[in-house]
Amino acid sequence: MPTAILTGQPVPGSSLEGDLRSLGFDVRHASDAGETETLLAAVPAGERVAVVDARFVGHVHALRLGLTDPRFPASALPGAVSVQPEARRALTRALTRESVAAGSGAAAPEDLAGRLGEALEADDLTVYRPELGTLVASVPADPQERNGVRQAVLAVDDEAVRLRSAVKARDGFFTTYCISPYSRYIARWCARRGLTPNQVTTASLITALIAAGCAATGTRAGFVAAGLLLLFSFVLDCTDGQLARYSLQYSTLGAWLDATFDRAKEYAYYAGLALGAARGGDDVWALALGAMILQTCRHVVDFSFNEANHDATANTSPTAALSDKLDSVGWTVWVRRMIVLPIGERWAMIAVLTALTTPRITFYALLAGCAFAATYTTAGRVLRSLTRKASRTDRAAGALVDLTDSGPLAESLTRFAGRLPRVAPAVVAFAAGAVVVTCAALAPYGGWLPVVGAAVYVLLSPAALLRPLKGALDWLVPPFYRAAEYLTVLALAVNAGMNGVLPAAFGLVAAVAYHHYDTVYRIRGNAGAPPHWLVRAIGGHEGRTLLVTVLAALLTAAQFKVALTALAVAVALLVLVESIRFWVSSGAPAVHDEGEPA
């Protein structure tokens, strides 16, 4: 149980002790810094500790935000400071200095908590200070001021503020107006019954998998049920994040679940639609795989661009200025958010089309919408990159290299790559990808032309490793590699012309895509890329591309199906085991996506 130490003389009629107990704190009292230091030493090392001025007046939710958020080692608000176990030593040092100063008469007896927060910051510890908005948190100096602060507390409904803040600040139109107005109340209902965000996330996944199963029946009733269940899954998907923000239940495991389950749900639903169509005699596996490839490449573009500009300096451009100007006009904000087809709009469209039309029409609409959205967003980012003058950091360049997923073949060829002409890496990546995809698409199944194209692709793959990726368009290198690898698998599977090959290819691309998403979220949490042994074990993008072309040249279509299935299982096992090991470990970052809707 966390411990709160109230410092100073108790204030008659104060509800502070009860408020702290309602937040789960064991409350103790100390009259000065020396007694506070003694009480701190008695608290078990693995527990959170808060030091709160007994004169504090404010909302309970302000205390919750300032004292209980698990994402930060230290946090503070007026009259209160809280530390996690990793920051206990810094707090102890600060209290020791306060005790010495108090003994010599050099420190005032009041506002101990405030001085401790400043001391932690002076000790090079980042202290999180939450934005309180209309919430009140104050340490009044006299009874008259105290009455005024109490009136300010009564004037604001902190539960209403808590509900509003549970909703993501930036979201799509459908989510903002059709889901969040009621899902926040579902989140509160879950919180009051002790449910955790992870449980809600798991329920969302199970619901989506049931929806995929309904779609796989191939019946109209199944399609209608699938659409309704997919929408309900999305409601739960919104609820889990709102529950985490409402109750401040953030966790590393929750970060991993939140980061991966959305993709698992959507791509499993694609597979369910393809299975349902097959039951009706319509083979749409190529469309399902194409939709997954397009959606994954869209995300890689987002991730690469954001990482490239995460900490860029002098990061301005006329295009960015125009975008900011458009965002100042209300209706353009929503139009621009809708046309990029974020997850809310996308899932709503898929659900409605599933219930009312056929899987083929659903995939056609999905591909057209995502293609338009990808063109719009990528063109805007290219314009921003070409018109801005920015100096990118070594961290950004390193993140882009990690996102390329280059394997042992690319690494071994770098020693000879110095002889290559110094062409922009994005140009090389695009050319190499175009060669291998074109060869795989145009050659008949069993031919060796795709292998030749893959060999050229491998020979050009070191381009991303020769120098830091700090160029204006170097963020395009990872998405070009992703598109090349995925489209090569798609082209070879289509040309095989045998039932079962495309589902096997779907499984392989899904496994590799999971690895790429896992890499992204590790980088976002400043935890670095997956271990080098894993990247080498699964071959890197160039090794896998060469392997599948060789398999297609050597094997019959039936054997190729078995080989793709085996490769998909092997890659999935390796990346899932390592990913699960990492995300449940103590070193995993508590990353929660509060940015662009996926």
Side-chain angles (χ1 to χ4, degrees):
M1 175 182 289
T3 298
I5 303 174
L6 285 179
T7 63
Q9 294 299 319
V11 177
S14 173
S15 63
L16 179 58
E17 183 171 345
D19 292 341
L20 290 170
R21 292 188 187 281
S22 72
L23 295 176
F25 284 96
D26 177 24
V27 180
R28 303 178 187 181
H29 296 267
S31 59
D32 54 27
E35 193 173 345
T36 302
E37 185 179 9
T38 301
L39 289 175
L40 175 64
V43 176
E47 292 183 2
R48 174 190 284 272
V49 178
V51 178
V52 185
D53 195 311
R55 299 170 299 162
F56 177 90
V57 178
H59 288 102
V60 176
H61 191 49
L63 287 171
R64 181 182 290 106
L65 292 173
L67 303 183
T68 68
D69 197 319
R71 297 173 296 175
F72 309 101
S75 56
L77 67 162
V81 63
S82 173
V83 297
Q84 298 268 47
E86 58 265 33
R88 281 280 293 276
R89 288 186 179 182
L91 181 61
T92 301
R93 289 193 297 268
L95 270 173
T96 299
R97 291 192 293 268
E98 286 290 329
S99 297
V100 173
S104 63
E110 293 96 3
D111 197 24
L112 174 61
R115 294 199 305 276
L116 289 175
E118 295 172 358
L120 292 177
E121 290 177 322
D123 203 11
D124 292 330
L125 183 67
T126 301
V127 178
Y128 170 67
R129 298 181 183 273
E131 292 287 341
L132 297 179
T134 58
L135 295 175
V136 176
S138 179
V139 181
D142 54 59
Q144 183 177 357
E145 183 181 351
R146 186 176 187 84
N147 287 333
V149 174
R150 283 177 171 171
Q151 292 301 317
V153 170
L154 294 174
V156 176
D157 184 354
D158 70 335
E159 178 62 20
V161 173
R162 188 181 178 190
L163 274 172
R164 286 197 303 270
S165 61
V167 177
K168 188 185 291 188
R170 178 182 173 87
D171 225 326
F173 180 88
F174 179 77
T175 305
T176 300
Y177 290 104
C178 299
I179 303 297
S180 293
Y182 59 88
S183 61
R184 69 184 75 181
Y185 295 101
I186 300 176
R188 182 172 67 180
W189 183 88
C190 292
R192 291 177 175 177
R193 283 152 184 81
L195 297 177
T196 67
N198 292 350
Q199 291 171 332
V200 178
T201 302
T202 303
S204 176
L205 174 66
I206 293 172
T207 303
L209 294 179
I210 295 173
C214 291
T217 62
T219 64
R220 178 52 52 194
F223 288 148
V224 172
L228 293 174
L229 287 170
L230 185 64
L231 287 176
F232 182 59
S233 174
F234 182 66
V235 172
L236 293 176
D237 181 62
C238 295
T239 301
D240 63 0
Q242 291 166 357
L243 175 58
R245 287 182 286 272
Y246 180 84
S247 57
L248 299 186
Q249 295 184 72
Y250 300 105
S251 68
T252 55
L253 178 60
W256 174 66
L257 296 176
D258 185 59
T260 57
F261 275 16
D262 279 353
R263 303 288 78 78
K265 289 181 286 190
E266 185 167 358
Y267 298 161
Y269 192 83
Y270 292 175
L273 280 177
L275 288 169
R279 287 180 177 273
D282 189 11
D283 187 353
V284 297
W285 274 107
L287 297 177
L289 180 51
M292 181 169 67
I293 291 172
L294 179 56
Q295 191 57 34
T296 302
C297 289
R298 278 188 64 196
H299 287 143
V300 176
V301 168
D302 295 342
F303 299 146
S304 295
F305 180 81
N306 291 335
E307 287 302 322
N309 297 284
H310 176 73
D311 46 9
T313 57
N315 201 1
T316 59
S317 74
T319 308
L322 175 61
S323 178
D324 293 339
K325 185 176 181 180
L326 289 174
D327 280 345
S328 66
V329 182
W331 66 271
T332 64
V333 175
W334 293 117
V335 171
R336 295 173 70 214
R337 290 188 192 179
M338 291 174 67
I339 62 176
V340 300
L341 209 63
I343 186 170
E345 278 76 358
R346 191 169 66 251
W347 282 25
M349 180 186 74
I350 294 171
V352 171
L353 290 178
T354 298
L356 300 180
T357 65
T358 65
R360 180 172 290 275
I361 293 175
T362 301
F363 280 123
Y364 281 155
L366 180 62
L367 286 166
C370 288
F372 177 81
T375 302
Y376 170 78
T377 55
T378 305
R381 286 166 178 169
V382 168
L383 286 174
R384 288 191 184 199
S385 300
L386 292 175
T387 57
R388 70 170 31 133
K389 295 179 180 179
S391 298
R392 294 191 171 91
T393 64
D394 292 336
R395 178 203 176 278
L400 290 180
V401 170
D402 291 335
L403 288 173
T404 62
D405 193 31
S406 298
L409 292 178
E411 292 175 350
S412 63
L413 288 171
T414 52
R415 69 187 69 175
F416 309 107
R419 302 175 184 176
L420 293 174
R422 296 181 67 82
V423 182
V427 174
V428 177
F430 176 79
V435 168
V436 67
V437 172
T438 301
C439 290
L442 298 182
Y445 180 79
W448 284 90
L449 183 60
V451 179
V452 174
V456 173
Y457 181 77
V458 170
L459 290 173
L460 295 177
S461 62
L465 305 176
L466 291 178
R467 61 181 183 272
L469 296 178
K470 295 184 177 182
L473 296 178
D474 284 354
W475 57 270
L476 285 169
V477 172
F480 282 155
Y481 283 145
R482 294 297 78 75
E485 179 183 358
Y486 300 160
L487 290 174
T488 298
V489 175
L490 172 60
L492 293 173
V494 169
N495 289 343
M498 180 178 182
N499 288 337
V501 177
L502 276 166
F506 188 96
L508 175 60
V509 172
V512 175
Y514 175 87
H515 166 62
H516 293 144
Y517 280 113
D518 184 57
T519 301
V520 164
Y521 281 95
R522 293 190 195 214
I523 293 173
R524 278 188 171 184
N526 295 317
H532 194 58
W533 69 262
L534 177 65
V535 178
R536 295 180 67 88
I538 60 176
H541 68 91
E542 79 287 355
R544 291 188 298 269
T545 303
L546 179 62
L547 176 60
V548 294
T549 58
V550 171
L551 291 174
L554 294 176
L555 304 177
T556 65
Q559 293 169 334
F560 186 55
K561 176 180 68 174
V562 175
L564 284 182
T565 303
L567 184 58
V569 171
V571 171
L573 286 176
L574 282 171
V575 299
L576 281 172
V577 169
E578 164 54 26
S579 178
I580 293 171
R581 182 210 63 79
F582 171 76
W583 286 100
V584 300
S585 71
S586 59
V591 178
H592 289 264
D593 186 8
E594 299 294 334
E596 296 289 340

